[in-house]
Amino acid sequence: MTIAERKARETARRRAAADLVMSEMKAFGTEHGGRFLIFGSAAEDRMKFDSDLDVVVDFPAERELEAYDFVEDACRRQDLPADIHLKSTSSNGFLDRIRNHMVQVP
């Protein structure tokens, strides 16, 4: 198998893993009264072989860490690197930069 073929295979695996994790996040968010904001390559449909899943956790304070742990565990199960942020600790500048490039789950 060539390097290009290995990269293509890993890209497809990461896309499928991200789709599965986002599906799980949708169910979790609906059940627990919050949402996840996906940004970066997964939101813009440009994932590559080395992409991670970029997530902002937007839940009530009492559920925030549980939701963070949920995303971390879901990504670990899929062997998908994640970059997870809490909305409550994210700067307005950061949130403004990603606002037009994100997908809300659910």
Side-chain angles (χ1 to χ4, degrees):
M1 181 181 301
T2 67
I3 292 173
E5 289 169 334
R6 283 194 297 258
K7 286 181 177 182
R9 180 179 286 178
E10 181 61 13
T11 297
R13 188 197 70 77
R14 288 189 186 215
R15 281 184 185 142
D19 288 344
L20 182 59
V21 170
M22 287 189 284
S23 176
E24 292 178 21
M25 288 190 304
K26 181 177 182 179
F28 185 93
T30 299
E31 183 177 329
H32 293 92
R35 65 186 181 155
F36 300 96
L37 308 172
I38 309 302
F39 65 99
S41 60
E44 297 174 0
D45 196 27
R46 56 177 180 79
M47 287 191 82
K48 299 185 308 186
F49 69 94
D50 59 351
S51 292
D52 62 2
L53 185 62
D54 299 299
V55 181
V56 174
V57 175
D58 183 15
F59 275 71
E62 65 274 6
R63 295 267 188 198
E64 191 175 61
L65 293 179
E66 178 185 4
Y68 183 101
D69 289 343
F70 173 82
V71 173
E72 192 172 55
D73 291 343
C75 287
R76 187 178 305 117
R77 283 192 308 273
Q78 297 302 319
D79 192 26
L80 181 63
D83 184 16
I84 309 168
H85 304 263
L86 297 175
K87 185 175 182 206
S88 66
T89 61
S90 295
S91 72
N92 288 332
F94 169 72
L95 295 171
D96 286 343
R97 277 194 309 277
I98 67 168
R99 182 162 281 112
N100 294 325
H101 306 282
M102 66 182 181
V103 176
Q104 182 176 306
V105 179

